[in-house]
Amino acid sequence: MSATRLRTLVLLAAGVTAVTWWVMRMVVGRGAAIPPDVPRLVVAVELVIAGVVLAMGWAVRQYQRGKHPTLDPVRAARTAVLAKASCYTGALLTGWYGGQALSLLTDADVPGNPTRATAAGIAVLGAVALAVVGLVVEHWCRIPPPGADEPTLAGASEPDPSAG
């Protein structure tokens, strides 16, 4: 599995923002109602998921530093996959709520839109936090390349360099 690139996430978020803004402008232009406020629960869920991913990643990091004696390889792999999913989910949600915020701010003179835009902006911050945590945990889950100086884990024996 290759590392997620920040550029990919930024482009994804920007693309989803543009599409969301365009769709909302089209829908509102045709007289349809704008979406309701973003529930506060959205931000709470984003932050809880980020916290869970961070806790799981911390266990992997501690193992790689030799501070945690055992770690199930399947758990480490699942943590890496969850971190990658968090990166992309955070980028998609950033775009979704960012597009809503932009659309609402372009009609800021409509009563209620500034409040809705603020709620969407706060959801954007939670989504960015989710993506950043995903990137950090994905970095923690990297395995050193073969032959690199790997930290010696507690209880592991060093190979004898003179043995041939």
Side-chain angles (χ1 to χ4, degrees):
M1 182 167 78
S2 62
T4 305
R5 292 166 50 200
L6 180 61
R7 178 179 169 200
T8 302
L9 297 178
V10 170
L11 290 174
L12 180 62
V16 173
T17 298
V19 169
T20 302
W21 176 81
W22 179 75
V23 168
M24 282 192 62
R25 300 305 308 151
M26 296 294 293
V27 167
V28 170
R30 294 185 180 189
I34 57 175
D37 285 349
V38 175
R40 295 175 201 253
L41 185 60
V42 167
V43 179
V45 169
E46 290 170 339
L47 295 177
V48 165
I49 292 171
V52 169
V53 172
L54 191 63
M56 292 176 70
W58 187 253
V60 174
R61 179 183 170 108
Q62 293 300 89
Y63 173 76
Q64 287 201 2
R65 289 182 162 194
K67 296 178 181 177
H68 194 272
T70 61
L71 180 70
D72 182 21
V74 174
R75 180 177 177 197
R78 287 179 179 160
T79 301
V81 169
L82 183 60
K84 185 172 275 296
S86 296
C87 292
Y88 284 106
T89 301
L92 289 170
L93 290 175
T94 297
W96 171 250
Y97 292 120
Q100 287 184 29
L102 284 177
S103 177
L104 292 165
L105 285 175
T106 56
D107 288 334
D109 56 333
V110 174
N113 277 3
T115 304
R116 289 185 183 107
T118 301
I122 293 170
V124 167
L125 295 177
V128 168
L130 179 61
V132 168
V133 165
L135 284 171
V136 168
V137 170
E138 188 177 306
H139 177 75
W140 288 347
C141 290
R142 281 195 225 168
I143 298 173
D149 289 338
E150 297 179 25
T152 305
L153 299 178
S157 62
E158 297 262 341
D160 184 6
S162 62

